[in-house]
Amino acid sequence: MRPVSRGRLHTTFEFGDLQVTSLRDGYVDMSPTLLRDEKGDVLDELPGAVPLVDGSLRLSVNAFLVTGPTGSVLVDTGASNALGSTTGSLLDALDEAGIDRASITDVAITHNHGDHVNGLIAPNGSESFPALERVWIGESDASVFAGRLAPVRERAVPITGEVAVNKHVTALPTPGHTHGHTVYEATSSTGRLLIWGDTVHVPSLQFTEPNVSWGFDGDEAQARAARNALLERLTRPGHFVAGAHLDSPGVGRVTRHGNGYALEYVAPSIA
């Protein structure tokens, strides 16, 4: 996994016979009271290693384009204009990376929350990806295609189990955060990249303490189990992770560390 291009809103990596582009949609500020212990209670004390900005947790919002010999898949789409002025930069990120959005035919959504799916529709109300053919999403989350997202409803491909999106990308259901939460594994000639949505929200805490959950998890126990299973999977040789809320560009390696795990980014963060 080697960075080959970088800008304010994107980082492109060479990954064997694949190319992976991290696209920065922006950031959201969230309350630290969303971090919960194993009983579902707000954490008594936030560790000093967790940075706050004006008392809030600042979460990057990232999407990832995986391009291979047989085509490309965009995983998540950011928030468009649905969550305020700190998000909605996905289309600018694609432009900066030199990617024609008209070339994107397949979008894979990790789950139905607005900062992952609303970018299917541009701020002006048009479709962000004019050649879109398929939107892959967990079956239990597919009801999101109403209202502003109704124009793409007929192209939704509901995911009910492990399924190949294309030759290089496979959908893996990981319910917990939402019933339809799904991660996508990209397999290249040199390794595997697991692209997740809301498996980890606060990387400075939830790798070392993976049992800390998030207040918006639909089922905290199930989400916790999914996170631990995915983190353990990522310790295998040749495995990398890309995360929607990891510090942009949000691509790294996972190792065991004490009773938890550690994340090592493969490229410096974009401020």
Side-chain angles (χ1 to χ4, degrees), residues 1 15 20 66 184-187 191-195 238 240-242 251:
M1 183 72 73
F15 187 43
V20 178
V66 179
Y184 297 89
E185 186 172 66
T187 302
R192 296 174 184 263
L193 174 68
L194 198 68
I195 306 172
F240 297 83
V241 64
V251 178

Side-chain angles (χ1 to χ4, degrees), residues 224-268:
R224 186 182 303 116
R227 177 166 49 256
N228 277 280
L230 291 173
L231 287 170
E232 186 62 26
R233 181 187 185 115
L234 284 163
T235 64
R236 298 172 183 172
H239 281 62
F240 297 83
V241 64
H245 297 308
L246 303 184
D247 298 333
S248 181
V251 178
R253 301 182 187 89
V254 175
T255 56
R256 294 187 186 91
H257 181 76
N259 293 324
Y261 301 86
L263 173 67
E264 178 188 2
Y265 290 111
V266 299

Side-chain angles (χ1 to χ4, degrees), residues 4-5 13 52 60 70 122 125 127 161 163 166 178 213 226 233 240 258 263:
V4 293
S5 172
F13 300 86
L52 296 177
S60 288
T70 59
E127 291 190 25
V163 63
N166 67 11
T178 65
S213 58
R233 181 187 185 115
F240 297 83
L263 173 67

Side-chain angles (χ1 to χ4, degrees), residues 78-135:
S80 188
N81 61 336
L83 293 180
S85 61
T86 64
T87 55
S89 295
L90 178 72
L91 299 184
D92 290 335
L94 287 166
D95 287 343
E96 181 185 90
I99 297 165
D100 181 3
R101 56 189 172 120
S103 68
I104 296 172
T105 59
D106 285 81
V107 171
I109 301 295
T110 59
H111 66 292
N112 60 6
H113 289 170
D115 52 332
H116 300 262
V117 70
N118 278 338
L120 285 163
I121 302 299
N124 66 4
S126 67
E127 291 190 25
S128 296
F129 310 107
L132 182 67
E133 296 178 7
R134 290 164 291 271
V135 184

Side-chain angles (χ1 to χ4, degrees), residues 22-197:
S22 171
L23 302 158
R24 181 171 170 81
D25 190 62
Y27 66 87
V28 292
D29 288 340
M30 309 292 284
S31 170
T33 61
L34 288 165
L35 291 166
R36 307 293 170 84
D37 64 20
E38 289 186 67
K39 294 183 290 186
D41 297 328
V42 175
L43 294 186
D44 290 333
E45 184 177 353
L46 200 64
V50 179
L52 296 177
V53 179
D54 296 328
S56 295
L57 299 163
R58 179 156 291 179
L59 279 59
S60 288
V61 178
N62 310 312
F64 300 92
L65 183 72
V66 179
T67 303
T70 59
S72 62
V73 179
L74 176 66
V75 181
D76 283 347
T77 65
S80 188
N81 61 336
L83 293 180
S85 61
T86 64
T87 55
S89 295
L90 178 72
L91 299 184
D92 290 335
L94 287 166
D95 287 343
E96 181 185 90
I99 297 165
D100 181 3
R101 56 189 172 120
S103 68
I104 296 172
T105 59
D106 285 81
V107 171
I109 301 295
T110 59
H111 66 292
N112 60 6
H113 289 170
D115 52 332
H116 300 262
V117 70
N118 278 338
L120 285 163
I121 302 299
N124 66 4
S126 67
E127 291 190 25
S128 296
F129 310 107
L132 182 67
E133 296 178 7
R134 290 164 291 271
V135 184
W136 303 78
I137 190 169
E139 183 179 46
S140 297
D141 285 2
S143 62
V144 72
F145 296 115
R148 72 176 276 146
L149 297 176
V152 302
R153 180 190 299 130
E154 297 304 316
R155 283 162 283 175
V157 181
I159 296 166
T160 57
E162 183 173 326
V163 63
V165 174
N166 67 11
K167 183 178 178 180
H168 298 284
V169 178
T170 301
L172 306 173
T174 53
H177 181 66
T178 65
H179 291 307
H181 193 276
T182 303
V183 302
Y184 297 89
E185 186 172 66
T187 302
S188 79
S189 58
T190 59
R192 296 174 184 263
L193 174 68
L194 198 68
I195 306 172
W196 67 35

